[in-house]
Amino acid sequence: MNRRSTGTIYEKSAARFLEEQGYRILEKNFRCRQGEIDLIALDGETVVFVEVKFRRDDRMGDGAEAVDRKKQKRIVGCARYYLFLHGEYASSPCRFDVVSVSGEEITLLRDAFWCSE
C-alpha cells in the first residue's frame, strides 16, 4: 500500500472520530496552491482546519510533532484561501486541530497551533 492510500484510510478514521465528537465534516482533502488541508469541519460555529498525522508507533514521536512551522504556514495559507472561497464562513471563528493516529489510538489536539499573522 502506498503512502497516499494509507493516508486516505487514516483520514477516513479521523473523520469518523471527529463526527463522534460532534464535528460536522465540510471537506476532505481541500487542495489549493499553498498545499492541502486533510479535513475541514464545523465544531459548533467554529471552522476547524484539521491535519491528520499517522504513525505506526511512537518511536518517531507523536504524529502531532510532525506539524512543524513550515507545515503550519501551508495549512494557514490554505485556510485563508478556503475562507475566501466560502464567504459564509469568513466571519466565523477558526481553529487548527491535529488528529494523531498512532497504531489503533486516535488523539485529538485542539488548538494545536495558532495563526500568528
Side-chain angles (χ1 to χ4, degrees), residues 6-31:
T6 299
T8 299
I9 290 168
Y10 290 103
E11 287 168 9
K12 286 180 182 179
S13 294
R16 279 192 306 273
F17 173 80
L18 292 173
E19 288 173 334
E20 291 169 3
Q21 305 300 310
Y23 288 57
R24 182 166 63 95
I25 305 299
L26 299 173
E27 298 244 2
K28 295 178 181 177
N29 299 312
F30 175 76
R31 289 184 173 91

Side-chain angles (χ1 to χ4, degrees), residues 65-82:
E65 294 172 13
V67 185
D68 60 12
R69 290 229 187 264
K70 184 177 177 183
K71 181 71 173 174
Q72 291 174 15
K73 188 175 180 179
R74 285 197 304 263
I75 293 169
V76 168
C78 285
R80 284 192 173 125
Y81 188 65
Y82 179 84

Side-chain angles (χ1 to χ4, degrees), residues 54-101:
F54 167 72
R55 294 287 185 259
R56 285 193 191 343
D57 54 48
D58 60 3
R59 287 186 302 207
M60 296 294 289
D62 184 272
E65 294 172 13
V67 185
D68 60 12
R69 290 229 187 264
K70 184 177 177 183
K71 181 71 173 174
Q72 291 174 15
K73 188 175 180 179
R74 285 197 304 263
I75 293 169
V76 168
C78 285
R80 284 192 173 125
Y81 188 65
Y82 179 84
L83 294 171
F84 171 76
L85 292 177
H86 297 272
E88 67 271 28
Y89 301 120
S91 60
S92 299
C94 297
R95 188 174 77 222
F96 298 94
D97 290 0
V98 174
V99 172
S100 179
V101 181

